[in-house]
Coordinates of all heavy atoms in Angstrom, one line a residue:
M9 N -10.8 30.7 -87.0 CA -11.6 31.2 -85.9 C -10.9 30.9 -84.6 O -10.8 31.7 -83.7 CB -13.0 30.6 -85.9 CG -13.9 31.1 -84.8 SD -14.3 32.8 -85.3 CE -15.5 33.2 -84.1
F10 N -10.4 29.7 -84.4 CA -9.7 29.3 -83.2 C -8.4 30.1 -82.9 O -8.1 30.4 -81.8 CB -9.4 27.8 -83.2 CG -8.8 27.3 -82.0 CD1 -9.4 27.2 -80.8 CD2 -7.4 26.9 -82.0 CE1 -8.8 26.8 -79.6 CE2 -6.8 26.5 -80.8 CZ -7.5 26.4 -79.6
M11 N -7.7 30.4 -84.0 CA -6.5 31.1 -83.8 C -6.7 32.5 -83.3 O -5.8 33.1 -82.6 CB -5.8 31.2 -85.2 CG -5.3 29.9 -85.8 SD -4.2 29.0 -84.7 CE -2.7 29.9 -84.9
K12 N -7.9 33.1 -83.5 CA -8.2 34.4 -83.0 C -8.5 34.4 -81.5 O -8.2 35.3 -80.8 CB -9.3 35.1 -83.8 CG -9.0 35.4 -85.2 CD -10.2 36.1 -85.9 CE -9.8 36.4 -87.4 NZ -10.9 37.0 -88.1
T13 N -9.1 33.4 -81.1 CA -9.5 33.3 -79.7 C -8.5 32.6 -78.8 O -8.6 32.6 -77.6 CB -10.9 32.5 -79.5 OG1 -10.7 31.2 -80.1 CG2 -12.0 33.3 -80.2
K14 N -7.5 31.9 -79.4 CA -6.5 31.2 -78.6 C -5.8 32.1 -77.6 O -5.6 31.7 -76.4 CB -5.5 30.5 -79.6 CG -4.6 29.6 -78.9 CD -3.7 28.9 -79.9 CE -2.7 27.9 -79.2 NZ -1.9 27.2 -80.2
P15 N -5.3 33.3 -77.9 CA -4.6 34.1 -76.9 C -5.5 34.5 -75.7 O -5.1 34.5 -74.6 CB -4.2 35.3 -77.7 CG -4.2 34.9 -79.1 CD -5.2 33.9 -79.3
Y16 N -6.8 34.7 -76.0 CA -7.7 35.1 -75.0 C -8.0 33.9 -74.0 O -8.1 34.0 -72.8 CB -9.1 35.6 -75.5 CG -8.9 36.8 -76.3 CD1 -9.1 36.9 -77.7 CD2 -8.5 38.0 -75.7 CE1 -8.9 38.0 -78.4 CE2 -8.3 39.2 -76.4 CZ -8.6 39.2 -77.8 OH -8.4 40.3 -78.5
C17 N -8.1 32.7 -74.6 CA -8.3 31.5 -73.8 C -7.1 31.2 -72.9 O -7.2 30.9 -71.7 CB -8.6 30.3 -74.7 SG -10.2 30.4 -75.5
L18 N -5.9 31.4 -73.5 CA -4.7 31.2 -72.8 C -4.6 32.2 -71.6 O -4.2 31.8 -70.5 CB -3.5 31.3 -73.7 CG -2.1 31.0 -73.1 CD1 -2.1 29.6 -72.5 CD2 -1.0 31.2 -74.1
A19 N -4.9 33.4 -71.9 CA -4.8 34.5 -70.9 C -5.8 34.2 -69.7 O -5.5 34.4 -68.6 CB -5.1 35.8 -71.5
A20 N -7.0 33.7 -70.1 CA -8.0 33.4 -69.1 C -7.6 32.2 -68.2 O -7.7 32.2 -67.0 CB -9.3 33.0 -69.7
V21 N -7.0 31.2 -68.8 CA -6.5 30.1 -68.0 C -5.4 30.5 -67.1 O -5.3 30.1 -65.9 CB -6.1 28.9 -69.0 CG1 -5.3 27.8 -68.3 CG2 -7.3 28.4 -69.7
V22 N -4.4 31.2 -67.6 CA -3.3 31.7 -66.8 C -3.7 32.5 -65.6 O -3.3 32.4 -64.5 CB -2.2 32.4 -67.7 CG1 -1.2 33.0 -66.8 CG2 -1.6 31.4 -68.6
S23 N -4.6 33.5 -65.9 CA -5.0 34.4 -64.8 C -5.9 33.6 -63.8 O -5.7 33.9 -62.6 CB -5.9 35.6 -65.4 OG -7.0 35.1 -66.0
T24 N -6.6 32.7 -64.2 CA -7.4 31.9 -63.2 C -6.4 31.0 -62.4 O -6.6 30.9 -61.2 CB -8.4 30.9 -64.0 OG1 -9.3 31.7 -64.8 CG2 -9.2 30.1 -63.0
A25 N -5.4 30.5 -63.0 CA -4.4 29.7 -62.2 C -3.7 30.5 -61.2 O -3.5 30.1 -60.1 CB -3.5 29.0 -63.2
V26 N -3.3 31.7 -61.7 CA -2.6 32.6 -60.8 C -3.5 33.0 -59.6 O -3.0 33.0 -58.4 CB -2.1 33.9 -61.5 CG1 -1.6 35.0 -60.6 CG2 -1.0 33.5 -62.5
F27 N -4.7 33.3 -59.8 CA -5.7 33.6 -58.8 C -5.8 32.5 -57.8 O -5.8 32.6 -56.6 CB -7.0 34.0 -59.4 CG -8.1 34.3 -58.3 CD1 -8.0 35.4 -57.5 CD2 -9.1 33.3 -58.1 CE1 -9.0 35.6 -56.5 CE2 -10.0 33.5 -57.1 CZ -10.0 34.7 -56.3
L28 N -6.0 31.3 -58.3 CA -6.3 30.1 -57.4 C -5.1 29.8 -56.6 O -5.2 29.3 -55.5 CB -6.7 28.9 -58.3 CG -8.1 29.0 -58.9 CD1 -8.4 27.8 -59.8 CD2 -9.2 29.2 -57.8
V29 N -3.9 30.0 -57.2 CA -2.7 29.6 -56.4 C -2.3 30.8 -55.5 O -1.9 30.5 -54.3 CB -1.5 29.4 -57.4 CG1 -0.2 29.3 -56.7 CG2 -1.8 28.1 -58.2
G30 N -2.5 32.0 -55.8 CA -2.1 33.1 -55.0 C -3.1 33.6 -54.0 O -2.7 34.1 -53.0
A31 N -4.4 33.3 -54.2 CA -5.4 33.8 -53.2 C -5.2 33.3 -51.8 O -5.3 34.0 -50.8 CB -6.8 33.5 -53.8
P32 N -4.9 32.0 -51.6 CA -4.8 31.5 -50.3 C -3.6 32.1 -49.5 O -3.6 32.2 -48.3 CB -4.6 30.0 -50.4 CG -5.2 29.6 -51.7 CD -5.0 30.9 -52.6
A33 N -2.6 32.6 -50.2 CA -1.5 33.2 -49.6 C -1.8 34.5 -48.9 O -1.2 34.9 -47.9 CB -0.4 33.4 -50.6
F34 N -2.9 35.1 -49.4 CA -3.3 36.4 -48.8 C -4.5 36.3 -47.8 O -4.9 37.2 -47.3 CB -3.6 37.4 -49.9 CG -2.4 37.8 -50.7 CD1 -2.2 37.3 -52.0 CD2 -1.4 38.6 -50.2 CE1 -1.1 37.6 -52.7 CE2 -0.3 38.9 -50.9 CZ -0.1 38.4 -52.2
A35 N -5.0 35.1 -47.7 CA -6.2 34.9 -46.8 C -5.8 35.2 -45.4 O -4.9 34.6 -44.9 CB -6.7 33.5 -47.0
G36 N -6.6 36.0 -44.8 CA -6.4 36.3 -43.4 C -5.2 37.3 -43.1 O -4.9 37.5 -41.9
K37 N -4.6 37.8 -44.1 CA -3.5 38.7 -43.9 C -3.9 40.1 -44.0 O -3.8 40.7 -45.1 CB -2.4 38.4 -44.9 CG -1.9 37.0 -45.0 CD -1.1 36.6 -43.8 CE -0.5 35.2 -44.0 NZ -0.1 34.6 -42.8
S38 N -4.5 40.6 -43.0 CA -5.0 42.0 -43.1 C -4.6 42.7 -41.8 O -4.4 42.1 -40.7 CB -6.5 42.0 -43.2 OG -7.1 41.6 -42.0
P39 N -4.5 44.0 -41.9 CA -4.2 44.8 -40.7 C -5.2 44.6 -39.6 O -4.9 44.6 -38.4 CB -4.1 46.3 -41.1 CG -4.0 46.2 -42.6 CD -4.6 44.9 -43.0
Q40 N -6.5 44.4 -40.0 CA -7.6 44.2 -39.1 C -7.3 42.9 -38.3 O -7.5 42.9 -37.1 CB -8.9 44.1 -39.8 CG -10.1 44.0 -38.9 CD -11.4 43.9 -39.7 OE1 -11.4 43.4 -40.8 NE2 -12.5 44.3 -39.1
A41 N -6.9 41.9 -38.9 CA -6.6 40.6 -38.3 C -5.5 40.7 -37.3 O -5.5 40.2 -36.2 CB -6.4 39.5 -39.3
D42 N -4.5 41.5 -37.7 CA -3.3 41.7 -36.8 C -3.8 42.5 -35.5 O -3.3 42.2 -34.4 CB -2.2 42.5 -37.5 CG -1.6 41.6 -38.6 OD1 -1.6 40.4 -38.5 OD2 -1.0 42.2 -39.5
A43 N -4.7 43.5 -35.7 CA -5.2 44.2 -34.6 C -6.0 43.3 -33.6 O -5.8 43.5 -32.4 CB -6.0 45.4 -35.1
F44 N -6.7 42.4 -34.2 CA -7.5 41.5 -33.4 C -6.6 40.6 -32.6 O -6.8 40.2 -31.4 CB -8.5 40.7 -34.2 CG -9.6 41.6 -34.7 CD1 -10.1 41.4 -36.0 CD2 -10.2 42.6 -34.0 CE1 -11.1 42.1 -36.5 CE2 -11.2 43.4 -34.5 CZ -11.7 43.2 -35.8
K45 N -5.5 40.1 -33.3 CA -4.6 39.2 -32.6 C -3.9 40.0 -31.4 O -3.8 39.4 -30.3 CB -3.5 38.8 -33.5 CG -3.9 37.7 -34.5 CD -2.7 37.3 -35.3 CE -3.1 36.4 -36.4 NZ -2.0 36.0 -37.3
T46 N -3.6 41.2 -31.6 CA -3.0 42.0 -30.5 C -4.0 42.1 -29.3 O -3.6 42.0 -28.2 CB -2.6 43.4 -31.0 OG1 -1.7 43.2 -32.1 CG2 -1.9 44.2 -29.9
E47 N -5.2 42.4 -29.6 CA -6.3 42.5 -28.6 C -6.4 41.2 -27.9 O -6.6 41.1 -26.6 CB -7.6 42.9 -29.2 CG -7.6 44.3 -29.7 CD -7.8 45.3 -28.5 OE1 -8.4 44.9 -27.5 OE2 -7.4 46.5 -28.7
L48 N -6.5 40.1 -28.6 CA -6.8 38.8 -28.0 C -5.6 38.2 -27.2 O -5.7 37.4 -26.3 CB -7.2 37.8 -29.1 CG -8.6 38.1 -29.7 CD1 -8.8 37.2 -30.9 CD2 -9.7 38.0 -28.7
K49 N -4.3 38.6 -27.6 CA -3.2 38.2 -26.9 C -3.1 38.7 -25.5 O -2.5 38.2 -24.6 CB -1.9 38.7 -27.6 CG -1.5 37.8 -28.8 CD -0.2 38.3 -29.4 CE 0.2 37.6 -30.6 NZ 1.4 38.2 -31.3
S50 N -3.8 39.9 -25.2 CA -3.8 40.5 -23.9 C -4.7 39.9 -22.9 O -4.7 40.3 -21.8 CB -4.1 42.0 -24.1 OG -5.4 42.2 -24.5
V51 N -5.5 38.9 -23.3 CA -6.4 38.3 -22.3 C -6.0 36.8 -22.2 O -5.4 36.2 -23.0 CB -7.9 38.4 -22.8 CG1 -8.3 39.8 -22.9 CG2 -8.1 37.7 -24.1
A52 N -6.4 36.2 -21.0 CA -6.2 34.8 -20.8 C -7.1 34.0 -21.6 O -8.2 34.4 -22.1 CB -6.5 34.5 -19.3
V53 N -6.8 32.7 -21.8 CA -7.5 31.8 -22.7 C -9.0 31.7 -22.2 O -9.9 31.8 -23.1 CB -6.8 30.5 -22.8 CG1 -7.7 29.5 -23.6 CG2 -5.5 30.6 -23.5
P54 N -9.3 31.5 -20.9 CA -10.7 31.5 -20.5 C -11.5 32.7 -20.9 O -12.7 32.6 -21.0 CB -10.6 31.2 -19.0 CG -9.3 30.6 -18.8 CD -8.4 31.3 -19.8
E55 N -10.9 33.8 -21.0 CA -11.6 35.1 -21.2 C -11.6 35.5 -22.7 O -12.1 36.5 -23.1 CB -10.9 36.2 -20.5 CG -11.0 36.0 -19.0 CD -10.1 37.0 -18.2 OE1 -9.4 37.8 -18.9 OE2 -10.1 36.9 -17.0
M56 N -11.0 34.6 -23.6 CA -10.8 35.0 -25.0 C -12.2 35.0 -25.7 O -12.4 35.9 -26.5 CB -9.9 34.0 -25.7 CG -9.4 34.4 -27.0 SD -8.2 33.3 -27.8 CE -6.8 33.7 -26.9
G57 N -13.1 34.2 -25.3 CA -14.4 34.2 -25.9 C -15.2 35.4 -25.6 O -15.8 36.0 -26.5
A58 N -15.1 35.9 -24.4 CA -15.8 37.1 -24.0 C -15.2 38.3 -24.7 O -15.9 39.2 -25.2 CB -15.8 37.3 -22.5
K59 N -13.9 38.4 -24.8 CA -13.2 39.5 -25.5 C -13.6 39.5 -27.0 O -13.8 40.5 -27.6 CB -11.7 39.4 -25.3 CG -10.9 40.5 -26.0 CD -11.3 41.8 -25.3 CE -10.4 42.9 -25.8 NZ -10.7 44.2 -25.2
A60 N -13.6 38.3 -27.6 CA -14.0 38.2 -29.0 C -15.4 38.6 -29.3 O -15.6 39.4 -30.2 CB -13.8 36.7 -29.5
A61 N -16.3 38.2 -28.4 CA -17.7 38.7 -28.6 C -17.8 40.2 -28.4 O -18.6 40.8 -29.1 CB -18.5 38.0 -27.5
Q62 N -17.0 40.8 -27.5 CA -17.0 42.2 -27.3 C -16.5 42.9 -28.6 O -17.1 43.9 -29.0 CB -16.1 42.6 -26.1 CG -16.0 44.0 -25.9 CD -15.0 44.4 -24.7 OE1 -14.2 43.5 -24.4 NE2 -15.2 45.5 -24.2
L63 N -15.4 42.4 -29.2 CA -14.9 43.0 -30.4 C -15.9 43.0 -31.5 O -16.0 43.9 -32.3 CB -13.6 42.3 -30.8 CG -12.4 42.5 -29.9 CD1 -11.3 41.6 -30.3 CD2 -11.9 43.9 -29.9
V64 N -16.6 41.9 -31.6 CA -17.6 41.8 -32.7 C -18.8 42.7 -32.4 O -19.3 43.4 -33.3 CB -18.1 40.3 -32.8 CG1 -19.3 40.2 -33.8 CG2 -17.0 39.4 -33.3
A65 N -19.2 42.8 -31.2 CA -20.3 43.7 -30.8 C -20.0 45.2 -31.1 O -20.9 46.0 -31.4 CB -20.7 43.5 -29.4
Q66 N -18.7 45.5 -31.0 CA -18.3 46.9 -31.2 C -18.3 47.3 -32.7 O -18.2 48.5 -33.0 CB -16.9 47.2 -30.6 CG -16.9 47.1 -29.1 CD -15.5 47.2 -28.5 OE1 -14.5 47.1 -29.3 NE2 -15.4 47.4 -27.2
A67 N -18.3 46.3 -33.6 CA -18.2 46.6 -35.0 C -19.5 47.2 -35.5 O -20.6 47.0 -34.9 CB -17.9 45.3 -35.8
K68 N -19.4 47.9 -36.6 CA -20.6 48.5 -37.2 C -21.4 47.4 -37.8 O -20.9 46.3 -38.1 CB -20.2 49.5 -38.3 CG -19.5 50.7 -37.8 CD -19.1 51.6 -38.9 CE -18.4 52.8 -38.4 NZ -17.9 53.7 -39.4
A69 N -22.7 47.6 -37.9 CA -23.6 46.6 -38.3 C -23.3 46.0 -39.7 O -23.4 44.8 -39.9 CB -25.1 47.1 -38.3
D70 N -22.9 46.9 -40.6 CA -22.6 46.4 -42.0 C -21.3 45.6 -42.1 O -21.1 44.9 -43.1 CB -22.7 47.6 -43.0 CG -21.6 48.7 -42.6 OD1 -21.2 48.7 -41.5 OD2 -21.3 49.4 -43.5
A71 N -20.5 45.8 -41.1 CA -19.2 45.1 -41.2 C -19.1 44.0 -40.1 O -18.0 43.4 -39.9 CB -18.0 46.1 -41.0
R72 N -20.2 43.7 -39.4 CA -20.2 42.8 -38.3 C -19.8 41.4 -38.7 O -19.0 40.7 -38.0 CB -21.5 42.8 -37.6 CG -21.4 42.0 -36.3 CD -22.5 42.3 -35.3 NE -22.3 43.7 -34.8 CZ -23.3 44.5 -34.5 NH1 -24.5 44.2 -34.7 NH2 -23.0 45.7 -34.0
E73 N -20.3 40.9 -39.8 CA -20.0 39.5 -40.2 C -18.5 39.3 -40.6 O -17.9 38.4 -40.2 CB -20.9 39.1 -41.4 CG -20.7 37.6 -41.7 CD -21.8 37.1 -42.7 OE1 -22.9 37.6 -42.7 OE2 -21.4 36.3 -43.5
S74 N -18.0 40.3 -41.4 CA -16.6 40.2 -41.7 C -15.7 40.3 -40.5 O -14.6 39.7 -40.4 CB -16.2 41.2 -42.8 OG -16.4 42.5 -42.3
T75 N -16.1 41.2 -39.6 CA -15.3 41.4 -38.4 C -15.4 40.1 -37.5 O -14.3 39.7 -37.0 CB -15.9 42.6 -37.5 OG1 -15.8 43.7 -38.3 CG2 -15.2 42.8 -36.2
A76 N -16.5 39.5 -37.4 CA -16.6 38.3 -36.7 C -15.8 37.2 -37.2 O -15.1 36.4 -36.5 CB -18.1 37.8 -36.6
E77 N -15.7 37.0 -38.5 CA -14.9 36.0 -39.2 C -13.4 36.3 -38.9 O -12.6 35.4 -38.6 CB -15.1 36.0 -40.7 CG -16.5 35.4 -41.0 CD -16.7 35.4 -42.5 OE1 -15.9 35.8 -43.3 OE2 -17.8 34.9 -42.9
A78 N -13.0 37.6 -39.0 CA -11.6 37.9 -38.7 C -11.2 37.7 -37.3 O -10.1 37.2 -37.0 CB -11.4 39.4 -39.1
V79 N -12.1 38.0 -36.3 CA -11.9 37.8 -34.9 C -11.7 36.3 -34.6 O -10.8 35.9 -33.9 CB -13.0 38.5 -34.1 CG1 -12.9 38.0 -32.6 CG2 -12.9 40.0 -34.1
V80 N -12.6 35.5 -35.1 CA -12.6 34.1 -34.9 C -11.3 33.5 -35.5 O -10.7 32.7 -34.9 CB -13.9 33.4 -35.4 CG1 -13.7 31.9 -35.4 CG2 -15.0 33.8 -34.5
A81 N -11.0 33.9 -36.7 CA -9.8 33.4 -37.4 C -8.5 33.8 -36.5 O -7.6 32.9 -36.4 CB -9.6 34.0 -38.8
A82 N -8.5 35.0 -36.0 CA -7.3 35.4 -35.2 C -7.3 34.6 -33.9 O -6.2 34.2 -33.5 CB -7.5 36.9 -34.9
A83 N -8.4 34.4 -33.3 CA -8.5 33.6 -32.0 C -8.0 32.2 -32.3 O -7.3 31.6 -31.5 CB -9.9 33.7 -31.4
V84 N -8.5 31.6 -33.3 CA -8.2 30.2 -33.6 C -6.7 30.1 -34.0 O -6.1 29.1 -33.6 CB -9.1 29.6 -34.7 CG1 -8.6 28.3 -35.3 CG2 -10.5 29.5 -34.2
E85 N -6.2 31.0 -34.6 CA -4.8 31.0 -35.0 C -3.9 31.1 -33.7 O -2.8 30.5 -33.6 CB -4.4 32.1 -36.0 CG -3.0 32.0 -36.5 CD -2.7 33.0 -37.6 OE1 -3.7 33.4 -38.4 OE2 -1.6 33.5 -37.7
L86 N -4.3 32.0 -32.8 CA -3.6 32.2 -31.6 C -3.7 30.9 -30.7 O -2.6 30.4 -30.2 CB -4.1 33.4 -30.8 CG -3.7 34.7 -31.3 CD1 -4.4 35.8 -30.6 CD2 -2.2 35.0 -31.3
K87 N -4.9 30.5 -30.4 CA -5.1 29.4 -29.5 C -6.2 28.5 -30.0 O -7.4 28.7 -29.8 CB -5.6 29.9 -28.1 CG -4.6 30.8 -27.4 CD -3.5 29.9 -26.8 CE -2.5 30.8 -26.0 NZ -1.4 30.2 -25.6
P88 N -5.8 27.5 -30.8 CA -6.8 26.6 -31.4 C -7.7 25.9 -30.4 O -8.9 25.6 -30.7 CB -6.0 25.5 -32.2 CG -4.7 26.2 -32.4 CD -4.4 27.1 -31.2
V89 N -7.2 25.7 -29.2 CA -8.0 25.0 -28.1 C -9.2 25.9 -27.7 O -10.1 25.4 -27.1 CB -7.2 24.6 -26.9 CG1 -6.2 23.5 -27.3 CG2 -6.5 25.7 -26.3
A90 N -9.1 27.2 -27.9 CA -10.1 28.1 -27.5 C -11.2 28.3 -28.6 O -12.1 29.1 -28.4 CB -9.5 29.5 -27.2
A91 N -11.1 27.6 -29.7 CA -12.0 27.8 -30.8 C -13.5 27.6 -30.4 O -14.3 28.4 -30.7 CB -11.7 26.9 -32.0
L92 N -13.8 26.5 -29.7 CA -15.2 26.3 -29.3 C -15.7 27.3 -28.4 O -16.9 27.8 -28.6 CB -15.3 24.9 -28.7 CG -16.6 24.4 -28.4 CD1 -17.5 24.3 -29.6 CD2 -16.6 23.1 -27.7
S93 N -15.0 27.8 -27.4 CA -15.5 28.8 -26.5 C -15.6 30.2 -27.2 O -16.6 30.9 -26.9 CB -14.6 28.9 -25.3 OG -13.3 29.4 -25.7
V94 N -14.7 30.4 -28.1 CA -14.8 31.7 -28.9 C -16.0 31.7 -29.8 O -16.8 32.7 -29.8 CB -13.5 32.0 -29.7 CG1 -13.7 33.1 -30.6 CG2 -12.3 32.2 -28.8
V95 N -16.2 30.6 -30.5 CA -17.4 30.6 -31.4 C -18.7 30.6 -30.6 O -19.6 31.4 -31.0 CB -17.3 29.3 -32.3 CG1 -18.6 29.1 -33.0 CG2 -16.2 29.4 -33.2
S96 N -18.8 29.9 -29.5 CA -20.0 29.9 -28.8 C -20.3 31.3 -28.1 O -21.4 31.8 -28.1 CB -20.0 28.8 -27.7 OG -19.0 29.0 -26.7
A97 N -19.2 32.0 -27.6 CA -19.4 33.3 -27.0 C -19.8 34.3 -28.1 O -20.7 35.1 -27.9 CB -18.1 33.7 -26.4
V98 N -19.2 34.3 -29.3 CA -19.5 35.2 -30.3 C -21.0 35.0 -30.8 O -21.7 35.9 -31.0 CB -18.5 35.2 -31.5 CG1 -19.0 36.0 -32.7 CG2 -17.2 35.7 -31.0
A99 N -21.3 33.7 -31.0 CA -22.7 33.4 -31.5 C -23.7 33.7 -30.4 O -24.8 34.1 -30.8 CB -22.7 31.9 -31.8
R100 N -23.4 33.6 -29.2 CA -24.4 33.9 -28.1 C -24.7 35.4 -28.1 O -25.8 35.8 -27.9 CB -23.9 33.4 -26.8 CG -24.8 33.6 -25.6 CD -24.4 32.9 -24.3 NE -22.9 33.1 -24.0 CZ -22.0 32.2 -24.1 NH1 -22.3 31.0 -24.4 NH2 -20.8 32.5 -23.8
E101 N -23.6 36.2 -28.2 CA -23.8 37.6 -28.1 C -24.2 38.3 -29.4 O -24.8 39.4 -29.4 CB -22.4 38.3 -27.6 CG -22.0 37.9 -26.2 CD -23.0 38.3 -25.2 OE1 -23.5 39.4 -25.2 OE2 -23.2 37.5 -24.2
N102 N -23.9 37.6 -30.5 CA -24.2 38.2 -31.8 C -24.8 37.1 -32.7 O -24.2 36.5 -33.6 CB -22.9 38.7 -32.5 CG -22.2 39.7 -31.6 OD1 -22.6 40.8 -31.4 ND2 -21.1 39.2 -31.0
P103 N -26.1 36.7 -32.4 CA -26.7 35.6 -33.2 C -26.8 35.7 -34.7 O -26.8 34.8 -35.4 CB -28.1 35.4 -32.6 CG -28.3 36.5 -31.6 CD -27.0 37.3 -31.5
D104 N -26.7 37.0 -35.2 CA -26.8 37.2 -36.6 C -25.6 36.7 -37.4 O -25.6 36.5 -38.6 CB -27.1 38.7 -36.9 CG -26.1 39.6 -36.3 OD1 -25.7 39.3 -35.1 OD2 -25.7 40.6 -36.9
V105 N -24.5 36.6 -36.7 CA -23.2 36.1 -37.3 C -22.8 34.7 -37.0 O -21.8 34.2 -37.4 CB -22.0 37.1 -37.0 CG1 -22.3 38.5 -37.5 CG2 -21.7 37.1 -35.5
A106 N -23.7 34.0 -36.3 CA -23.4 32.7 -35.8 C -23.0 31.7 -36.9 O -22.1 31.0 -36.8 CB -24.6 32.1 -35.0
P107 N -23.8 31.7 -38.0 CA -23.4 30.7 -39.1 C -22.0 31.0 -39.7 O -21.3 30.1 -40.0 CB -24.5 30.9 -40.2 CG -25.7 31.5 -39.4 CD -25.1 32.3 -38.3
A108 N -21.7 32.3 -39.8 CA -20.4 32.7 -40.5 C -19.3 32.3 -39.6 O -18.3 31.8 -40.0 CB -20.4 34.2 -40.7
V109 N -19.4 32.5 -38.3 CA -18.3 32.2 -37.4 C -18.1 30.7 -37.2 O -17.0 30.2 -37.1 CB -18.4 32.9 -36.0 CG1 -18.3 34.4 -36.1 CG2 -19.6 32.5 -35.3
A110 N -19.3 30.0 -37.2 CA -19.2 28.5 -37.1 C -18.5 27.9 -38.4 O -17.7 27.0 -38.3 CB -20.6 27.9 -37.0
A111 N -18.8 28.5 -39.5 CA -18.2 28.0 -40.8 C -16.7 28.3 -40.8 O -15.9 27.6 -41.3 CB -18.9 28.6 -42.0
R112 N -16.4 29.5 -40.3 CA -15.0 29.9 -40.3 C -14.1 29.0 -39.3 O -13.0 28.7 -39.6 CB -14.9 31.4 -39.8 CG -13.5 31.9 -39.8 CD -13.0 32.1 -41.2 NE -11.7 32.8 -41.1 CZ -11.0 33.0 -42.2 NH1 -11.4 32.7 -43.4 NH2 -9.8 33.7 -42.1
A113 N -14.7 28.6 -38.2 CA -13.9 27.8 -37.2 C -14.1 26.3 -37.4 O -13.3 25.6 -36.8 CB -14.4 28.2 -35.8
A114 N -14.9 25.9 -38.3 CA -15.2 24.5 -38.5 C -13.9 23.7 -38.8 O -13.7 22.6 -38.3 CB -16.3 24.2 -39.5
P115 N -13.1 24.2 -39.7 CA -11.8 23.4 -40.0 C -10.9 23.2 -38.8 O -10.3 22.2 -38.6 CB -11.1 24.2 -41.1 CG -12.2 25.0 -41.7 CD -13.2 25.3 -40.6
A116 N -10.9 24.2 -37.9 CA -10.0 24.1 -36.7 C -10.7 23.1 -35.7 O -9.9 22.4 -35.0 CB -9.9 25.4 -36.1
L117 N -12.0 23.1 -35.7 CA -12.7 22.2 -34.7 C -12.6 20.7 -35.2 O -12.7 19.8 -34.3 CB -14.1 22.6 -34.6 CG -14.3 24.0 -33.9 CD1 -15.8 24.3 -33.9 CD2 -13.8 24.0 -32.5
S118 N -12.4 20.5 -36.4 CA -12.4 19.1 -36.9 C -11.1 18.4 -36.8 O -11.0 17.3 -37.0 CB -12.9 19.1 -38.4 OG -11.9 19.8 -39.2
K119 N -10.1 19.2 -36.4 CA -8.7 18.6 -36.3 C -8.6 17.8 -35.0 O -9.0 18.0 -34.0 CB -7.7 19.7 -36.4 CG -7.5 20.3 -37.7 CD -6.4 21.3 -37.8 CE -6.4 21.9 -39.2 NZ -5.4 23.0 -39.3

């Protein structure tokens, strides 16, 4: 019995390992994130929070949370010191996505 299921178990272990190792390499690598970085590079650091909140507010309702996470990730990657102002501005203007953006920026704030 074990000999029949051994190839399937091995395939499951290998595919899980490939996913766990490869997934972080693609995290945050999207054309959407690049577009947000371009938008945020054009503003000064004190204005980055307002611009991020504006970008999130312009998103469609069904994509607002993922957009907010991508905007915050782009802002934190560009200027980590602006993370707190970006998160607070996005949360103030878009309270429905506040938990998601806070969770996304928490690792940067703890450094």
